[in-house]
Amino acid sequence: SYVPQQDCTLYAVWEDAYSVTLDLNGGYYTSAFWNGETLEYESGLRERVTRVQCGNGVDFNASSMRHDDSSMQLVGWSTERDGDIVSNEFGWYFPENDCTLYAVWGRSHLVTVDLGSGHFGENRWDSVEGRYVKGESIWHERVGEGGRVVLIPSQIVPADPSLILVGWSLEPDGGLILDRYATTYEIQEDCTLYAVYDHFHTVTVDYRFGRSG
């Protein structure tokens, strides 16, 4: 805002901008967005036009995009309907002229994270169910083949204070495939990652009658 101190004239300052058409190519937006072509907010858009100032990047709002086939995952954007990817799904594209960008989709896999007796101590968005799962033990995400699911050990609260997360398994009682420090896991198929816990013990070292070393 501008607070005038006297009578004055304010002049609008204009900059060049490009018209960018986002073609969701079989997908749609789940939220309402401003459509620069109709000059209205619309939901369920399969194509929308946005104006981008020269030198700025396009904001795709990728987290609000879905494909008609729920097994498909957004993997990037192309300047041609079946062309090469010029930006990944959450990246930025810097147009140099008016253009159309086409969403590129790929097959995805359903990943389920099962915390067993534990639960998520912080809000975590479940993109499959479309809600936050704080206080719950099951979380889902769709990940493109070869992509990685993000694990956040600090969000996990064991059911018993004497328990500690020690890693992850692909079976309810299986061996560890990841240790407790792992933060991602590469996905090649539908899978469930099970949290594995173990008891920890406190060890006290008393040096009153000696010294270390």
Side-chain angles (χ1 to χ4, degrees), residues 98-111:
D98 294 348
C99 64
T100 297
L101 294 174
Y102 299 90
V104 180
W105 304 86
R107 191 64 57 186
S108 67
H109 298 293
L110 177 63
V111 180

Side-chain angles (χ1 to χ4, degrees), residues 3-213:
V3 180
Q5 302 297 322
Q6 59 187 7
D7 294 348
C8 63
T9 300
L10 294 177
Y11 297 91
V13 178
W14 301 89
E15 292 184 352
D16 290 334
Y18 299 123
S19 177
V20 179
T21 301
L22 299 178
D23 186 326
L24 272 58
N25 201 16
Y28 60 94
Y29 280 110
T30 58
S31 303
F33 286 99
W34 179 257
N35 188 341
E37 190 172 61
T38 62
L39 302 182
E40 293 180 338
Y41 280 98
E42 300 179 23
S43 58
L45 285 174
R46 293 182 176 274
E47 179 179 288
R48 72 183 180 100
V49 179
T50 183
R51 301 286 292 179
V52 180
Q53 289 183 350
C54 297
N56 287 357
V58 180
D59 184 357
F60 299 118
N61 299 110
S63 61
S64 297
M65 293 174 56
R66 299 290 184 274
H67 196 276
D68 291 333
D69 181 346
S70 61
S71 69
M72 300 294 281
Q73 181 82 11
L74 181 70
V75 295
W77 296 84
S78 174
T79 54
E80 299 178 5
R81 189 170 295 277
D82 297 309
D84 296 331
I85 291 176
V86 296
S87 174
N88 64 28
E89 65 270 38
F90 292 105
W92 292 83
Y93 178 75
F94 296 87
E96 297 180 350
N97 47 42
D98 294 348
C99 64
T100 297
L101 294 174
Y102 299 90
V104 180
W105 304 86
R107 191 64 57 186
S108 67
H109 298 293
L110 177 63
V111 180
T112 301
V113 173
D114 188 336
L115 301 187
S117 60
H119 66 270
F120 288 102
E122 301 177 19
N123 275 333
R124 183 139 197 201
W125 180 254
D126 188 315
S127 60
V128 174
E129 297 194 0
R131 62 187 182 88
Y132 288 102
V133 293
K134 181 179 180 180
E136 301 181 34
S137 61
I138 302 294
W139 172 78
H140 309 87
E141 185 172 50
R142 284 202 168 273
V143 179
E145 187 163 333
R148 306 188 75 88
V149 64
V150 176
L151 305 169
I152 309 178
S154 62
Q155 291 185 346
I156 299 171
V157 180
D160 187 323
S162 68
L163 292 175
I164 187 172
L165 177 74
V166 294
W168 301 89
S169 173
L170 290 173
E171 301 291 339
D173 299 308
L176 293 182
I177 60 165
L178 297 170
D179 63 26
R180 60 176 299 197
Y181 301 105
T183 56
T184 64
Y185 178 67
E186 184 174 341
I187 303 302
Q188 299 294 340
E189 60 185 358
D190 292 357
C191 66
T192 298
L193 291 172
Y194 297 90
V196 179
Y197 306 95
D198 199 356
H199 291 276
F200 70 92
H201 304 278
T202 300
V203 177
T204 302
V205 179
D206 189 339
Y207 292 128
R208 288 181 299 172
F209 302 104
R211 60 185 180 85
S212 63

